[in-house]
Amino acid sequence: MNDILLDVRGLSKHFGGILALNEVSFSLEKGSVTSLIGPNGAGKTTFINVVTGIHAPDSGEIHFQGEDLAGMEAHLVASKGIGRTFQLVELFSSLNVLENAMVGRHSESHSGMLSCGFSLPSARKEEKRIRDEAMESLIMVGLEKRAPDPISKLPLGERKLVGVARALTMKPRFLMLDEPAGGLAAHEIKNLVELIHQLVSKGLTILVVEHNMPFIMSLSEKVIVLNEGAKIAEGPPQEVRTNEKVIKAYLGEEV
Ligand code: ATP
């Protein structure tokens, strides 16, 4: 089978004297779950930031559904069907859960959230459509009953799910989750694994950046390991776990 959704070739990015990504190449099959792991500072979040257009790469190609997105602006990358969540959940405390799940779509819509109430019927129709789609996302992550609640009432696990719902409202085909399990209790991690499987069954392709090894091992078909910006291993979880380069990179940590 060679049904590739994302094909990254020779991706490099430096910040001053730090080579955060060093000629990184790999591809992801449609409908797969892959984990991107590596010690602190390995370049994992930089990879997400470069693929989503937050940072332009110094060199390399990012082929997504046949188009090279390298250097494209973030809002255009999002419109191509690439979504992400953030390591530190970036939610608006002044908005309720549903409004937070709507935020991504408002940035691309013609009418701002606050102006909608005073504007034309077409803007109100658009507002309703976005609201309905955000509600569908909340149903998908199991938070529909929380829709009217202020964000401040939610525990960390649910806030992270609002971040996932927000990304889903953008209707991505490819979703990158940046440390989704960090700070979650065991039962919340179990629910997260189930959610990821559900999303894959709906046709999404997922890349997870994580440090939680049991979570990674239970979830991923493939694991890619970065160290000091370079890919040092790629393969099935059990194979990567016993790879000598990986063990050395994590020296002193449990893999
Ligand atoms: P962690 O697991 O700790 O989140 P990571 O693998 O996600 O780490 P990155 O955050 O991608 O690593 O960082 C890779 C390197 O690039 C680090 O040395 C970091 O300090 C540096 N870096 C990342 N973003 C920037 C930036 N915007 N400006 C300067 N240096 C940066």
Side-chain angles (χ1 to χ4, degrees):
M1 193 177 118
N2 186 22
D3 212 358
I4 301 298
L5 184 73
L6 181 82
D7 185 28
V8 170
R9 294 284 137 213
L11 205 59
S12 293
K13 175 72 188 173
H14 76 280
F15 297 106
I18 296 167
L19 196 49
L21 290 177
N22 183 4
E23 297 277 327
V24 173
S25 299
F26 62 81
S27 55
L28 303 180
E29 279 184 12
K30 280 181 190 156
S32 60
V33 183
T34 305
S35 290
L36 183 63
I37 68 168
N40 289 328
K44 306 179 296 293
T45 297
T46 301
F47 178 85
I48 295 182
N49 287 339
V50 169
V51 171
T52 50
I54 289 179
H55 297 310
D58 298 334
S59 56
E61 294 164 14
I62 304 165
H63 293 275
F64 182 70
Q65 304 188 107
E67 189 177 1
D68 186 5
L69 308 185
M72 197 178 266
E73 283 179 39
H75 70 280
L76 288 175
V77 173
S79 74
K80 300 283 175 190
I82 297 186
R84 58 100 45 103
T85 63
F86 293 86
Q87 200 169 327
L88 301 170
V89 199
E90 297 188 353
L91 301 173
F92 295 96
S93 53
S94 59
L95 302 180
N96 69 25
V97 169
L98 178 62
E99 287 161 348
N100 266 283
M102 293 166 71
V103 164
R105 291 307 286 268
H106 275 102
S107 66
E108 67 170 39
S109 79
H110 299 294
S111 20
M113 188 179 289
L114 295 174
S115 65
C116 274
F118 303 100
S119 56
L120 299 166
S122 61
R124 285 204 295 274
K125 211 169 145 192
E126 188 184 8
E127 168 85 2
K128 185 181 177 315
R129 184 177 55 80
I130 296 172
R131 191 170 284 273
D132 290 347
E133 287 174 2
M135 198 61 193
E136 273 173 39
S137 303
L138 288 179
I139 291 170
M140 230 181 284
V141 303
L143 283 185
E144 66 275 20
K145 291 202 177 96
R146 291 294 216 171
D149 290 349
I151 279 294
S152 56
K153 272 181 79 179
L154 268 61
L156 177 69
E158 291 186 351
R159 285 175 189 224
K160 287 202 158 191
L161 290 175
V162 176
V164 176
R166 176 187 288 175
L168 291 175
T169 305
M170 300 289 287
K171 303 216 175 297
R173 298 201 61 198
F174 174 46
L175 181 59
M176 291 181 277
L177 304 172
D178 199 352
E179 299 201 17
L184 300 196
H187 72 277
E188 291 173 318
I189 293 180
K190 197 168 156 266
N191 291 342
L192 183 62
V193 171
E194 264 172 39
L195 171 63
I196 290 173
H197 285 147
Q198 265 178 39
L199 296 177
V200 167
S201 74
K202 287 182 189 294
L204 264 85
T205 303
I206 295 189
L207 183 73
V208 182
V209 165
E210 251 303 331
H211 287 286
N212 181 322
M213 286 299 160
F215 174 72
I216 289 162
M217 295 293 156
S218 69
L219 188 71
S220 334
E221 292 144 47
K222 181 164 84 171
V223 177
I224 294 163
V225 190
L226 292 183
N227 187 39
E228 297 178 349
K231 185 179 85 175
I232 57 166
E234 173 173 1
Q238 290 312 325
E239 203 177 290
V240 162
R241 195 180 195 155
T242 53
N243 180 303
E244 275 187 25
K245 279 190 196 165
V246 177
I247 293 169
K248 204 170 155 203
Y250 275 99
L251 213 61
E253 295 180 35
E254 203 177 314
V255 184

